[in-house]
Amino acid sequence: MKNVNYSPLVGILTSKGQKKDSFRGDLSVFKSIQKEIMKIGGLSFIFTTDGVCEDHVLGYIYYESQEKWGPISFPFPDIIYNKVSFRKDEETTSFQSLYHLYKQEHKYFFNPSFFDKWEIHQTLSASKQLTSYLPETWIYTNMTDLLNKLHTYHSLYLKPKNGHKGQGIYNIVYDQSSYYIHKENNRIKYDESDFVHDIEKLINQRHYLLQKDIQTDLIDNCKYDLRILCLYNHNGFHKICGIGIRKAVKNSIITHVPNGGEIVSFEKIKHICPIEELNWLSETVGALLTKQYGFIGEFSLDVGLTPKGKPIIFEVNSKPMIFDERDIQKRRITHLVQLFSVLNNTN
């Protein structure tokens, strides 16, 4: 086993790739973390649970001169940064054993798991401070309940409880005579029987949430939302590291870039964006998440703004995607490495 004198030594836990000795994840991010952490005398490496042995971990580092990843044996890292790609991988015995080992030894395990949307809603709505920042949300139970709520509120969102990247989201509407299902930028009109049939087909035994549609501010008559990156800092609070704006295409309900969304400059909404209130939300949500889940090093908020600039929290993500804004992503890597160093010195 290689004698490692790097401090901090950070293990980036990922999912296995399809080929032997391969792994999933964004390699450019992993390279950036390794490059940045080496500037302060530390080292990061990639590993999967398959590489965890009784007294060492088989991981991978990037050899810049050879432009390739290579395997090395490491001692157990000081900190584990959880970037596992799939929920099912976090449910395995090997993952859970590793997590509980670090918990038992009071070592930092960055973000223990993906979030469950319903659990998150229950956690946040239990705080009286946050009630007004959350859209009314219910777990889907049956079609009768869905129709009753739709007749009351006229417009709802259907969201998969464990969905991500905007997949499987529908806007359903009732206008006193007809029903509509809106997916991405496609809207179809129905009578009640066909509507019920198609909704049941779309849900198809998956666990869904119903969420009241909230009127939000628009850019060029299109929906948009804020992607707010929040990182834990040495003062014990979560602070905003960056805010990205994502605008949907015309008539679409999805703002995610891979689904046709557009990156918009923050300057376009600066006049209506309540920065101090968002900073408070970052701290408050971060504290509640940590209490519920354990140490949360980073998370992101998907936030809409009402026409008067009131923030509404639509989603909380435990593993924020890469930010296309280079300045935000660069700042993220720098802050992460600084946080790894601070956490290692407090262990």
Side-chain angles (χ1 to χ4, degrees):
M1 181 172 64
K2 183 177 176 64
N3 182 24
V4 177
N5 294 315
Y6 295 97
S7 181
L9 181 63
V10 176
I12 302 175
L13 178 58
T14 66
S15 294
K16 291 181 288 187
Q18 293 182 335
K19 297 179 181 179
K20 185 180 179 182
D21 295 328
S22 66
F23 49 85
R24 295 179 179 271
D26 195 292
L27 301 186
S28 65
V29 173
F30 298 161
K31 291 175 192 176
S32 297
I33 291 175
Q34 180 181 311
K35 188 175 182 178
E36 188 69 21
I37 202 168
M38 289 178 75
K39 292 178 183 178
I40 62 169
L43 183 65
S44 62
F45 66 92
I46 315 303
F47 74 106
T48 71
T49 54
D50 276 3
V52 178
C53 303
E54 187 175 346
D55 63 349
H56 69 280
V57 177
L58 180 63
Y60 303 84
I61 63 170
Y62 184 69
Y63 294 96
E64 198 161 354
S65 59
Q66 301 174 42
E67 297 184 346
K68 68 176 185 178
W69 294 86
I72 293 187
S73 180
F74 290 93
F76 277 74
D78 302 313
I79 294 167
I80 290 179
Y81 181 36
N82 177 16
K83 295 300 286 182
V84 166
S85 301
F86 307 109
R87 292 177 187 272
K88 61 182 176 61
D89 290 347
E90 293 183 340
E91 295 167 0
T92 61
T93 301
S94 54
F95 179 94
Q96 289 297 321
S97 295
L98 186 61
Y99 169 63
H100 288 297
L101 172 65
Y102 269 66
K103 187 176 181 181
Q104 184 179 7
E105 295 186 356
H106 304 290
K107 290 185 175 181
Y108 285 100
F109 193 105
F110 242 71
N111 294 20
S113 66
F114 283 99
F115 293 150
D116 174 296
K117 288 182 174 62
W118 180 239
E119 284 184 6
I120 288 291
H121 178 76
Q122 290 179 304
T123 297
L124 301 188
S125 60
S127 166
K128 292 181 180 179
Q129 292 177 299
L130 293 178
T131 304
S132 65
Y133 294 95
L134 303 170
E136 289 187 74
T137 303
W138 310 268
I139 197 86
Y140 172 78
T141 53
N142 56 64
M143 186 54 64
T144 300
D145 180 65
L146 182 150
L147 290 173
N148 287 338
K149 286 185 169 58
L150 188 56
H151 289 177
T152 300
Y153 297 100
H154 304 294
S155 181
L156 299 171
Y157 276 92
L158 276 176
K159 294 183 176 183
K161 193 163 72 84
N162 291 324
H164 67 295
K165 299 181 181 178
Q167 296 174 1
I169 295 179
Y170 306 97
N171 176 220
I172 55 175
V173 175
Y174 173 64
D175 68 359
Q176 307 291 348
S177 59
S178 299
Y179 297 83
Y180 301 86
I181 299 176
H182 195 167
K183 179 186 178 182
E184 296 182 2
N185 59 352
N186 184 32
R187 192 183 196 201
I188 301 175
K189 184 178 180 179
Y190 293 87
D191 61 23
E192 184 171 306
S193 61
D194 288 341
F195 172 79
V196 168
H197 175 269
D198 275 18
I199 286 294
E200 288 180 334
K201 187 177 176 182
L202 289 173
I203 291 177
N204 191 28
Q205 305 302 315
R206 293 178 69 185
H207 299 291
Y208 262 81
L209 301 182
L210 310 177
Q211 195 169 81
K212 181 182 175 182
D213 187 3
I214 303 292
Q215 183 184 1
T216 55
D217 186 46
L218 304 174
I219 296 178
D220 304 326
N221 210 32
C222 297
K223 287 182 173 291
Y224 73 88
D225 55 31
L226 283 59
R227 302 291 162 82
I228 304 175
L229 178 63
C230 308
L231 264 71
Y232 186 82
N233 73 0
H234 63 278
N235 292 322
F237 299 103
H238 291 83
K239 297 290 186 183
I240 292 176
C241 185
I243 301 176
I245 311 301
R246 301 291 179 268
K247 184 184 81 168
V249 296
K250 197 167 183 65
N251 299 320
S252 176
I253 63 170
I254 304 297
T255 62
H256 291 75
V257 172
N259 295 321
E262 178 187 344
I263 300 167
V264 175
S265 168
F266 179 76
E267 294 299 315
K268 280 209 168 188
I269 59 98
K270 188 177 179 180
H271 64 287
I272 197 175
C273 189
I275 292 296
E276 287 188 14
E277 199 168 6
L278 293 177
N279 278 320
W280 174 81
L281 280 176
S282 173
E283 291 184 12
T284 306
V285 171
L288 287 170
L289 294 177
T290 298
K291 186 177 179 181
Q292 175 71 20
Y293 290 93
F295 179 70
I296 303 295
E298 67 174 348
F299 65 92
S300 66
L301 298 170
D302 291 357
V303 170
L305 298 176
T306 69
K308 292 184 178 180
K310 168 83 172 180
I312 303 294
I313 300 173
F314 292 129
E315 301 277 352
V316 184
N317 306 296
S318 67
K319 299 180 187 180
M321 296 172 66
I322 297 173
F323 274 69
D324 296 301
E325 294 86 351
R326 290 186 179 181
D327 59 326
I328 296 178
Q329 187 61 26
K330 184 178 179 181
R331 192 159 59 243
R332 176 187 189 178
I333 299 297
T334 301
H335 285 197
L336 272 174
V337 169
Q338 290 173 349
L339 179 54
F340 292 149
S341 179
V342 168
L343 294 178
N344 189 49
N345 290 330
T346 59
N347 260 340

